[in-house]
Amino acid sequence: MDSFNILFTSAGRRVSLIQSFKQVLTSLELSAILVTTDSQKNAPASFIADFQVQVPRVTDPKYINILKTTCEKYKIKLLIPLIDTELHLLAAHKRDFEAMGVTLLVSSIKTIEICFDKRETYKFFKKMGIQTPEILDAEKILTDPQAQYPLIVKPYNGSSSIGVTQVKNAKELKFFKDYIPNAIVQEFVVGQEYTLDILVDFKGEVRSVVPRLRIETRAGEISKGMTVKNPAIIAAGKKVVESLPGALGCITIQCFLLPNGDIKFIEINPRFGGGFPLSFQAGANFPRWIIEMMLGKEPEITIDGWQDGVVMLRYDDAIFVTRETIA
Amino acid sequence: MDSFNILFTSAGRRVSLIQSFKQVLTSLELSAILVTTDSQKNAPASFIADFQVQVPRVTDPKYINILKTTCEKYKIKLLIPLIDTELHLLAAHKRDFEAMGVTLLVSSIKTIEICFDKRETYKFFKKMGIQTPEILDAEKILTDPQAQYPLIVKPYNGSSSIGVTQVKNAKELKFFKDYIPNAIVQEFVVGQEYTLDILVDFKGEVRSVVPRLRIETRAGEISKGMTVKNPAIIAAGKKVVESLPGALGCITIQCFLLPNGDIKFIEINPRFGGGFPLSFQAGANFPRWIIEMMLGKEPEITIDGWQDGVVMLRYDDAIFVTRETIA
C-alpha cells in the first residue's frame, strides 16, 4: 500500500495534534510521512514532522500553488489546515486538490462563511432555532437609560478571544465599540463555558461529540479543561453541526451552559481546535477514525464513546534548537 | 546525609523548573523529596512533585504558619517561592524559617519593595544611574499639544504584562489611564526586548547572567526566545542586580536594547521567571549551583558560562488526571 502522507498547513504550535496522528499511524502499522507548512521557520510543530516547508503568508497570491506543489512533492493523501484564515481559500480549490488525489479536511465554502463572520454565525443560529446570546445595537444601548451591563464587545472576525472585552458601563461601551476593530456588541451570558469537538465523516454524518468544560483559559485557549458527558450538550452540539451546509472533519464549537439548563452557542470553528488533545486523551480518536474512513474501513464509533471526567492541565514544554536552525 | 528536600510554593504551571531540580538532584546522587504548594488542587506542577499540599491564598492570615508546618512535616531544606505576591511575606519571616533550618531563596524586603512597585523600580533605576524609559505625567501630556504618541499605560503593580497597553493618541490615553487600575504612563521604547536570568549567591555576588531575546510572547510570557551572549547587556544586568540591596537567588530582569546600543531597563522580578527553562537548557544550571552552594561546595561558574544561540520554541503539553483527583 502507498504511504499515508499527511500535510498539516499553518502548523504553528500544534505539536500534540501532530503527535497524535503519528501515534495512530504507528498503531495502524501504516507507513507515512508527516509534513508541515508554516510561514515561519520557528514553528515548534515543524520540528516533530518529517519534513517542514516554509511558505509565504496565506494572503500571498502564490500560496495555493505552493501548497499544491508541496502535495505533489511529498505525495500527500490528506491535507489538514490548522488556522481559520486559509479555510476559505482551500475550500475554493478543493476540486483541484481532489484531482491530485489529495483529500482536504475542509468544510464547504458556505459553512466556512457562516463560521468566519460572527454576524453570519448569529444569523445562522437564529434561522435554525439554535439559542445564542443576542447581538445588540450599540447606539440603541447608549441612548437607553435602562440599558443593562455588563456586555461583551468583540470583533466579528476575531479568533483566539483577541479583543473580546467585557464592558461594565456606557463609558466603556462607547470607547471600546470604536477601539476594537469590526466590533459587535453581544449580550453577556453567565454560565459554564464548553468547547465541543465534533467529528463529521465524509458522508456528512456527525459521529462523535465531546464537550470539554473550560476550567481555565490562557491567551484565549483552554489551559485547564475536563470532558463532561452531558447528553443535553451533546445533542445540542450535534444539531448545530447537522444544520451546517457541508461540515467535514473536526468542527469546534463554543457554548454556555446556563444555570437554568439553557445552552447558548456563540462560535463555530470548522477545524481542529487547540484543545483537541483533551478529547484525544479521553479516547475520542478522531485521527484514527479519519484515517480509517479514508481507507474504506468503517470505524466503530458511538457519539459518546469516550471517557467522561478526564482533566487536562496544561503547561509549557519546549523544543530547543540552535540559532542556525531557524535563521 | 540528610535528604535534600525542597518546597516550591505557588507552583502553578512550573513543571519544567521543578523537573530541572529533579534532574539535578538525581545527577548529584542526592536523595530528596520535592513538595509543592498551591491554592488550587489542579496546578499542573503539583503532579510531578512527590507531595502536593493545598494551601489557602497568600492573603490568608494562616498562610505563613501553614508553610512553616509544611516545612516541618517534610523536613524542608530549601524553599523556593514562585509568584511575586508572597515574596514580601516570606522575606518578613525569613529568620523564623532559618531557625527551623529552612533556607529561603528570597531577597531582602527592601529589594522586594523596589521590584514590586514599578514607581519604586523607576526611582531605583534613576538613583543608580541606570537607563530606563521615563515615567510621565498623564495630565501634562493631555494638555500638551506637542505630545508624542504612542505611549505605554500599565499598572504600577502588575505582573505577566496584564493591563500593559499601547495608547496611540490622547483619546486612548484619557480612557486607559482611568480604565487600567493603578495606571502609570511610560515612554514608548522601540528595541529588542530581553529578559535576563541572573544568579546571586548567598554572599550577594552575581555569578551568572543570561540574556534571553524575546522573539515572541503569549499571555505575557515568552513563547519563543533565544540566549544571546551580548557582553554589554550582561554587564548592564550585572550592575542592576549588584545595585539592589540584598538580592538572592534567581533575579529576572527585563530590558530593551535600542538600535543605538542603549540598554533601558523596565522591570525586576526577584524570583525564577517563567522563561528560565531556556537558560537551564543553555547550561546555566542555577538549580545545581544553588544546591552545591548550600552544601558548601563552591561551584565553578563564569558569568557567561552557558551556550549562546540556544532557541526555545514553546508548545502546550499537558498532565492528564481524572475528575476525582482534583475534586
Side-chain angles (χ1 to χ4, degrees), chain A residues 40 42 323 326, chain B residues 192-194 212-217 222-228 278 310-313:
Chain A
Q40 296 190 282
N42 62 12
R323 180 188 274 129
I326 60 160
Chain B
Q192 288 185 316
E193 198 173 349
Y194 282 86
R212 302 186 261 111
L213 173 64
R214 289 188 161 206
I215 299 172
E216 198 178 290
T217 61
I222 194 166
S223 59
K224 292 177 184 171
M226 178 170 71
T227 57
V228 178
L278 170 53
V310 176
V311 176
M312 174 172 76
L313 306 173

Side-chain angles (χ1 to χ4, degrees), chain A residues 228-282:
Chain A
V228 177
K229 209 169 272 191
N230 178 321
I233 299 178
I234 292 173
K238 183 167 183 282
K239 185 190 162 188
V240 169
V241 173
E242 283 173 347
S243 306
L244 286 169
L248 172 63
C250 183
I251 310 293
T252 311
I253 65 183
Q254 309 276 132
C255 67
F256 285 94
L257 174 62
L258 276 61
N260 69 359
D262 280 2
I263 299 162
K264 293 200 177 186
F265 288 88
I266 53 166
E267 202 169 305
I268 311 170
N269 289 294
R271 52 158 175 77
F272 276 103
F276 175 74
L278 171 52
S279 295
F280 182 75
Q281 177 73 21

Side-chain angles (χ1 to χ4, degrees), chain A residues 13 218 309 311 313 321 323, chain B residues 13 218 309 311 319 321 323:
Chain A
R13 301 168 53 258
R218 185 168 171 257
V311 176
L313 306 173
V321 297
R323 180 188 274 129
Chain B
R13 301 169 52 259
R218 185 169 170 257
V311 176
I319 285 163
V321 297
R323 180 188 274 128

